[in-house]
Amino acid sequence: MTNSNALEDRQRRFLRYSSHMLLTPIMIIAGYAQGIEKGVVILKDGVDVILDQCRRMAALTDKMLEFSQIMEEVASIRLEEISLGKHVSSYLERYIYASGEKRISFSPDQVEDYLVLASGDLLDLILDNLISNAVRYARSRILVSICRSPRWITLTVADDGDGLSDQDFSQLFDLFYKGKDGLHGIGLAIAKQAAEAMGTEIEAANRPEGGAVFTLRLQRPDPTSP
């Protein structure tokens, strides 16, 4: 299958699955609205459910728009040299207050910063989804790390939760796959699509000490440089 055909296939599947995902909250809203109209549902209870489903639809729509935007812009992605440590530090300063009581630690491999070839917007999109996922499953701590290999600079996001199941490993990055306590099943698919648009990939594993770890390998501007 060519890249163009693969993209079209993903777009068709995305449209089909997203339509199905939106159908459930729409049906619930319609059912409770009819119940209120007929007087068989208490007004406050009905309004609470309707507002909850509206919030669910809004969050789902945001994720759908993110995914759709990536698919449309894959062909126009341009990579640039980015100081990864500075970029991640700046990102985490914005995110730290959204993590609640769960502590986010940042651990670069060395004091020096590393240049990578990436898209800043797509990198933020990946971080958004990996860190929000880690916050959901962590017990108390999320560790974001950067380290260097001869060819790659690797960015990892790890948590101290229960880790991934066998089923998770086989479907984790599939569109609309929801593991235990998952929300929409779109976030990790977005992260994978963004990584692929930059010519790289994301891998998932369980940590020996417990919890899950996601690894993003980013290209160095010159893999032969020290």
Side-chain angles (χ1 to χ4, degrees):
M1 182 180 292
T2 66
N3 289 339
S4 176
N5 289 338
L7 180 59
E8 290 178 0
D9 181 62
R10 283 197 294 268
Q11 289 173 329
R12 285 193 296 270
R13 288 189 291 115
F14 173 73
L15 179 60
R16 183 171 64 251
Y17 292 149
S18 58
S19 299
H20 175 75
M21 290 290 289
L22 286 171
L23 184 60
T24 298
I26 289 172
M27 291 176 62
I28 292 173
I29 290 170
Y32 272 84
Q34 290 173 359
I36 293 171
E37 182 182 40
K38 294 177 180 178
V40 296
V41 173
I42 297 173
L43 179 60
K44 183 182 183 306
D45 293 344
V47 169
D48 287 345
V49 171
I50 288 172
L51 288 175
D52 181 67
Q53 293 301 313
C54 286
R55 286 189 287 267
R56 177 186 173 190
M57 288 178 63
L60 178 58
T61 302
D62 284 344
K63 288 295 183 183
M64 289 165 56
L65 288 172
E66 286 181 7
F67 193 85
S68 179
Q69 183 177 4
I70 290 176
M71 290 194 295
E72 291 175 357
E73 295 180 357
V74 164
S76 62
I77 293 299
R78 294 293 181 268
L79 304 184
E80 58 183 348
E81 290 189 4
I82 292 176
S83 296
L84 186 60
K86 293 178 181 177
H87 189 95
V88 174
S89 293
S90 176
Y91 172 88
L92 290 178
E93 286 177 3
R94 304 194 304 268
Y95 202 99
I96 200 76
Y97 298 106
S99 61
E101 297 179 355
K102 298 175 182 179
R103 186 165 65 94
I104 299 178
S105 300
F106 179 42
S107 177
D109 183 47
Q110 297 179 13
V111 175
E112 68 173 296
D113 199 3
Y114 295 128
L115 292 177
V116 296
L117 289 175
S119 159
D121 290 340
L122 292 185
L123 189 56
D124 282 349
L125 200 56
I126 292 170
L127 285 167
D128 278 342
N129 288 289
L130 292 187
I131 293 180
S132 63
N133 190 72
V135 168
R136 185 176 308 118
Y137 292 105
R139 290 191 175 90
S140 61
R141 188 181 182 212
I142 298 98
L143 177 62
V144 181
S145 303
I146 294 174
C147 61
R148 180 180 65 175
S149 69
R151 182 179 178 187
W152 306 99
I153 303 297
T154 60
L155 171 67
T156 62
V157 178
D159 65 66
D160 60 353
D162 294 333
L164 302 166
S165 68
D166 291 340
Q167 183 178 3
D168 287 336
F169 280 114
S170 64
Q171 298 178 267
L172 193 61
F173 296 103
D174 290 351
L175 186 59
F176 295 121
Y177 170 72
K178 292 189 292 186
K180 180 182 177 183
D181 299 325
L183 293 179
H184 309 300
I186 300 179
L188 291 179
I190 288 175
K192 178 183 179 182
Q193 186 74 23
E196 290 179 351
M198 293 192 295
T200 186
E201 60 184 13
I202 295 176
E203 295 179 350
N206 282 325
R207 305 168 69 204
E209 61 270 46
V213 57
F214 291 83
T215 300
L216 173 68
R217 291 183 175 86
L218 293 163
Q219 301 176 60
R220 300 173 64 185
D222 181 3
T224 62
S225 64

